[in-house]
Amino acid sequence: MKKSKKSQKGVTSNDKNKGMGKEKEREKKSSSLESGSYNYKMFSFFNRKFKINEVEPPSDVNKAFSLFTDEGSTHMTPEQLRRFMSVHQCEVSTRLEDAQNIIEQVVNRRHHITKFARHTLNVEDFFHFLLSDDLNGPIRTQVHHDMSAPLSHYFIYTGHNSYLTGNQLSSDCSEVPIIKALQNGVRVIELDLWPSKDEILVLHGRTLTTPVSFIQCLTSIKEYAFVSSPYPVIITLEDHLTPELQAKAADMITQTFETMLYYPESDLTEFPSPESLKYRIMISTKPPKEYLEVRSKDASEDESSPKDDSDAVSRNLLCYSNSSSESDQEDEDFKSLQAGVSGYKRLITIHAGKPKGSLKTALKEVTDPVRRLSLSEHQLEKLAGSHGLDIVRFTQRNILRVYPKGTRFTSSNYKPTIGWMHGAQMVAFNMQGYGKSLWLMHGMFRANGGCGYVIKPDILTRSADELFDPKATLLPVQKTLKVKIYMGDGWRLDFKHTHFDAYSPPDFYTKIFIVGVPADEAKKKTKIIEDDWCPVWDEEFSFPLTVPELALLRIEVREYDISEKDDFGGQTCLPVPELRTGFRSVPLHDKKGVKHKNVRLLMRFEFV
């Protein structure tokens, strides 16, 4: 029976041996573990010794090696490796030079000899190659989608309240989470603007969050906007400013971004493409209204003016007009103020705002200037039940942004798939709200080289008579994904030997999920492998998929505990359309989405 576990955090080998090179340290520790054993203290007075099992190639790997080498041969040549990559791994574009480069890297890593010393792989080298996620990862790492379609044809990596360091009520506001988001590929940054005398602050209004200056956020965005992706960054502004401060904000934006800032001369009738907007920054917010005509209205007409709490600009301009005398100086002041507001409006590329009528009417309206509409997760769920097709149709030309409901005080997130199923481009997430929902977001935007833009499947952009119905349940199976999980390795290098259990090696098992349209969702689980740092499961699962274009493969490793909650051993999420078939090394991440240095699984993917 398993004993209770110590709540210790993993300690990486790099933390313990900072002065040693990463590769040498890994080889040294791996070598000592493979030839040795672990000692676990029982009741503080005697030891239990567990031998470290040597990691061996699965039988399928041995068979593949034999199949692509000459009979009786113990080494694989570059040409044979090229043929293996082309036939077994379906990487038909692999060149002989690519195979030679792989061999050189593997031999150098394993044997620390020059690339001229050996030009072939033995079976252990071949196995090492298959377990190297940088050489044999599960998805493509380059941008390969068509980037010339309008922005409305892409899912866009979108943040919510991007300046918050923690919860929605009392955490600090800072440029640090904005920088981190941009470094991780996020392309839409949200800033809430509030006045403070003659300053512009970014904070979550009417809460205890501490502010950060607007100019500090803009400067950080300029510096880090394109460190991870060349494709456009969109800044969505939730604007609570007076007209005077809107004019000041416009000056800050233009002076900070200069030629990086993109804005059209007139309202857009179709959004430009990500390709045409490389290294450009755009503003999206609700445009301020023009109120020149207000000055000619009498007081009774003024009283009937809009009282929408969200339209602070309208009220401020109206108040300014009502309190003005007929002096020439006041006329000049008003015109100057209006010019500042017009300058602010001119910078807005993606116009946002609430519809004049009902949401249902807004979704059905065909508008010439394209726009952005925002819905809460609750509003989307409600509308999706009765107007799913209208939402899909709306998102073919316009942009739909979905944001977390206001009660998510802890910065938790919602399930993003309902937004993606309906074509919503901006499914806005709290990037500091770690959890399973955020893992799905990470998985979606690992697609297309992690550039932050993922082209929507054809089913969401095709003509009205072939419109995809997200509520459809009797869809035919398009393909079946077969997933075989062979083994896992690397925990012994990244974690202290008592991290999972104080008295014995861990008991790992793996859970595999398909997340997508309701008809495709599924869950499988491997058997538990007891007392082994290198578990070998060798199990295969099949997942029939009706809409594979919207499916995600979520993988989670747990360590079984009979008396407590099972420990977390790593996770990843992968976009099914991007999976590379054949043997693949699948790296695992921690709960925050940070990739472990050594923990990975050997898996095989096949579509039938």
Side-chain angles (χ1 to χ4, degrees), residues 395-461:
T395 58
Q396 291 187 333
R397 292 187 66 243
N398 302 282
I399 289 177
L400 178 62
R401 176 177 173 269
V402 185
Y403 58 91
K405 59 186 178 183
T407 54
R408 294 190 179 275
F409 304 127
T410 61
S411 293
S412 62
N413 288 299
Y414 51 100
K415 194 172 181 180
T417 48
I418 186 170
W420 293 330
M421 280 189 292
H422 289 83
Q425 296 88 349
M426 297 183 180
V427 178
F429 260 38
N430 297 306
M431 296 301 166
Q432 77 280 28
Y434 308 115
K436 295 176 182 177
S437 294
L438 190 58
W439 299 347
L440 299 178
M441 184 65 66
H442 291 162
M444 168 62 82
F445 289 100
R446 287 191 177 106
N448 199 26
C451 74
Y453 285 84
V454 175
I455 198 163
K456 292 196 225 176
D458 292 341
I459 57 173
L460 292 173
T461 57

Side-chain angles (χ1 to χ4, degrees), residues 110-121:
R110 296 201 72 235
H111 307 288
H112 305 293
I113 57 179
T114 67
K115 61 183 180 181
F116 303 107
R118 179 145 67 82
H119 302 278
T120 59
L121 298 178

